[in-house]
Amino acid sequence: MMYSQAFFKIAALKIEQKYTNSDNSELLLLFDFTDAHDVDVEELENLIVDFIEGNLADLNDILGDALFALGKSYKSDYRDLYLRAMQDSVEHNIHICYQAGISIENLGEQVFFSISPTEDKVLTSKRAKDFLIENGL
């Protein structure tokens, strides 16, 4: 399986479509990338979880894309994985940390309180650290 930014964008659209009943069919047609199109949503989720778990130590930006896609499931089953990704990346890659935090926010919790790394990296990092401390990490 080839993992790329396009793969995770398609995965995010498919996952979001399933769990939010949104119609992303027009957007999905824009992507000519068949690997993710040919996989059902549950299998996509499993592939993404495996990818995240296998790449946490690398902290490449594509890990943030994977977290974004999985976060579209709005499933609390993945909360511990998001926390681990936040904890591992908060000092090294704010993009990954932010995507993990946004996935937690999709579960109804407040992490960043409407701040993003493009607005203020220092405050984003501080709020991520505060959230991790509040969660015993």
Side-chain angles (χ1 to χ4, degrees):
M1 183 67 59
M2 187 171 125
Y3 295 105
S4 66
Q5 196 173 44
F7 175 89
F8 291 119
K9 283 180 182 177
I10 292 168
L13 290 169
K14 287 183 73 169
I15 291 169
E16 179 181 57
Q17 183 168 278
K18 176 176 180 168
Y19 294 111
T20 65
N21 295 319
S22 57
D23 182 7
N24 292 335
S25 55
E26 293 292 319
L27 290 170
L28 286 164
L29 289 174
L30 296 174
F31 291 96
D32 184 27
F33 190 79
T34 58
D35 282 358
H37 282 296
D38 296 337
V39 180
D40 71 18
V41 171
E42 289 79 15
E43 188 176 345
L44 273 176
E45 287 180 46
N46 291 331
L47 289 169
I48 294 168
V49 167
D50 290 346
F51 177 84
I52 293 168
E53 289 176 339
N55 290 281
L56 274 176
D58 296 337
L59 296 178
N60 293 322
D61 280 346
I62 198 164
L63 189 59
D65 299 329
L67 288 159
F68 174 80
L70 192 61
K72 292 297 184 177
S73 72
Y74 299 89
K75 285 185 177 178
S76 60
D77 301 359
Y78 304 125
R79 187 178 185 278
D80 288 344
L81 181 60
Y82 302 145
L83 283 170
R84 203 171 29 178
M86 278 184 72
Q87 185 177 29
D88 289 357
S89 63
V90 68
E91 297 289 343
H92 308 288
N93 189 319
I94 196 66
H95 170 68
I96 294 169
C97 179
Y98 182 73
Q99 290 304 328
I102 290 298
S103 295
I104 291 171
E105 287 194 352
N106 287 348
L107 303 175
E109 299 180 55
Q110 287 292 319
V111 178
F112 299 113
F113 298 92
S114 300
I115 197 73
S116 75
T118 57
E119 297 168 316
D120 190 333
K121 286 183 181 181
V122 173
L123 185 55
T124 300
S125 179
K126 180 190 178 318
R127 288 188 177 162
K129 289 174 185 175
D130 291 347
F131 185 81
L132 289 168
I133 289 168
E134 290 168 13
N135 283 273
L137 302 170

